[in-house]
Amino acid sequence: MANLLDGKATAEKIQAELKATIQTLATKAGRPPGLAVLMVGDNPASEVYVRNKEKACTRVGIASFGQHLPTATTQTELAEKIRGLNQNSQVDGILLQLPLPNHLDAIALLHQLDPSKDVDGLHPVNLGHLVRGEPGLRSCTPAGVMRLLADYDIPVEGKDTVVVGASILVGKPMALMLLEAESTVSVAHIKTQNLAKLTREAEILVVAAGYPKLITQDMVKPGAVVIDVGINRITNYEGKSRIVGDVDFSAVEPIAQYITPVPGGIGPMTVAMLLQNTVWSYQQRI
Ligand SMILES: NC(=O)c1ccc[n+]([C@@H]2O[C@H](COP(=O)([O-])OP(=O)(O)OC[C@H]3O[C@@H](n4cnc5c(N)ncnc54)[C@H](OP(=O)(O)O)[C@@H]3O)[C@@H](O)[C@H]2O)c1
């Protein structure tokens, strides 16, 4: 049976460390770090994520400047909110909760963020820093994967790593971070011809496709490290819903060396990295 990579426990440890750092710095700086999560509309999944992020902020001592705006908010109004937060000296991090309602252009709005407050690491300036291997705000989910591997002393250097999914939010920055850590990276996407052939080569397999049970036992090399980023809500015949990842956990766990659970794996690590990015931005500012 694989060893579980406990993202929840690791995230709690990181939060405790951040809390101690904030207690020390806030006295000197005269203010705590500040994070603004901007949410538009009533996407139920986003509401849960935003609530979790705000609760985590309270736990570690980060002030929340979040705003929940109605679905009808216009592009100009949202851009105006972002400008206000860019100028607010109490705010160190701004996160635009995605997805936005269809009438809003998320990419154009992400460009309006002050890159030094872009705690989700999605502004082209921060993605550029990542490509060049320079310090900067790193995308939270892939940063959470790297941190979890590091905390479990799992070597990445020289390994064959495979990322399934190539989104700008997870797959692409994940591949760049694995490359930065000197692994040999392959990236699969929807047009990949033989996904199973590729995933079977992976010593470290990171899956972020958004498709339940995409990765079955025969697609995993025995002894691999399997990181499941997927979060999918599925409903059974009785109408009960639960969250699952992209990996068929019960089939893959017996043959993997390490595996992340869903929930309790990369989800909590993503929140911990958001808090860490906010504190990093605060430290640059004070
Ligand atoms: N744990 C966390 O904190 C966290 C954070 C963010 C996201 N997530 C979860 O991670 C998953 C991915 O998120 P995302 O934002 O990256 O989603 P996304 O924007 O939908 O991207 C999914 C990527 O996977 C690729 N893909 C889809 N089906 C595939 C298949 N059968 N074979 C190979 N590639 C396939 C897509 O390819 P094409 O673009 O070519 O179609 C795309 O590149 C979702 O379940 C999401 O909920 C979790």
Side-chain angles (χ1 to χ4, degrees):
M1 280 294 185
N3 299 297
L4 273 195
L5 295 171
D6 189 341
K8 190 165 177 276
T10 309
E12 279 166 9
K13 188 188 77 179
I14 295 167
Q15 290 188 16
E17 287 163 9
L18 288 173
K19 187 175 179 180
T21 305
I22 292 168
Q23 275 168 352
T24 311
L25 293 177
T27 319
K28 288 187 207 143
R31 69 168 182 93
L35 173 66
V37 179
L38 283 176
M39 178 174 162
V40 184
D42 302 313
N43 180 320
S46 294
E47 278 179 11
V48 174
Y49 296 149
V50 170
R51 211 175 314 127
N52 285 345
K53 286 167 187 170
E54 289 179 344
K55 272 194 210 153
C57 280
T58 309
R59 271 200 300 276
V60 302
I62 293 176
S64 281
F65 291 82
Q67 295 182 37
H68 189 165
L69 304 162
T71 308
T73 304
T74 66
Q75 184 88 5
T76 314
E77 285 166 343
L78 195 49
E80 202 45 54
K81 293 274 178 216
I82 292 173
R83 247 192 303 282
L85 292 167
N86 281 344
Q87 284 160 9
N88 186 338
S89 60
Q90 307 287 305
V91 174
D92 304 287
I94 307 167
L95 184 146
L96 195 54
Q97 185 67 39
L98 302 175
L100 293 175
N102 288 337
H103 66 281
L104 295 171
D105 179 351
I107 301 292
L109 290 160
L110 287 170
H111 278 75
Q112 314 242 353
L113 291 176
D114 174 347
S116 74
K117 296 190 179 187
D118 165 39
V119 281
D120 224 3
L122 295 178
H123 190 283
V125 166
N126 288 316
L127 289 170
H129 285 315
L130 171 60
V131 172
R132 295 175 64 122
E134 296 166 353
L137 289 162
R138 296 287 200 253
S139 187
C140 300
T141 302
V145 172
M146 297 308 290
R147 176 66 194 264
L148 194 59
L149 292 170
D151 271 45
Y152 277 84
D153 291 324
I154 296 171
V156 179
E157 190 186 304
K159 298 290 177 193
D160 289 330
T161 58
V162 173
V163 180
V164 180
S167 72
I168 198 71
L169 185 65
V170 187
K172 283 182 186 162
M174 185 74 253
L176 286 163
M177 287 182 207
L178 288 166
L179 181 62
E180 192 176 29
E182 299 183 298
S183 69
T184 303
V185 190
S186 305
V187 184
H189 47 78
I190 201 77
K191 298 278 168 67
T192 298
Q193 290 296 310
N194 192 338
L195 183 62
K197 180 169 173 279
L198 188 69
T199 56
R200 271 197 297 270
E201 312 248 301
E203 294 171 284
I204 300 176
L205 176 63
V206 183
V207 192
Y211 195 92
K213 294 198 179 176
L214 175 66
I215 303 299
T216 48
Q217 192 190 63
D218 58 311
M219 296 169 78
V220 177
K221 187 190 190 94
V225 176
V226 180
I227 308 284
D228 191 353
V229 176
I231 300 180
N232 310 291
R233 183 171 288 281
I234 56 164
T235 307
N236 71 8
Y237 63 94
E238 290 171 316
K240 284 194 182 135
S241 75
R242 65 190 176 101
I243 301 289
V244 297
D246 290 352
V247 175
D248 184 349
F249 183 89
S250 55
V252 171
E253 190 198 12
I255 65 156
Q257 188 191 357
Y258 287 99
I259 191 167
T260 55
V262 177
I266 300 305
M269 290 302 294
T270 298
V271 176
M273 292 300 102
L274 172 67
L275 305 178
Q276 184 171 285
N277 276 350
T278 305
V279 173
W280 189 80
S281 168
Y282 168 71
Q283 284 172 309
Q284 310 305 304
R285 225 166 280 282
I286 56 176

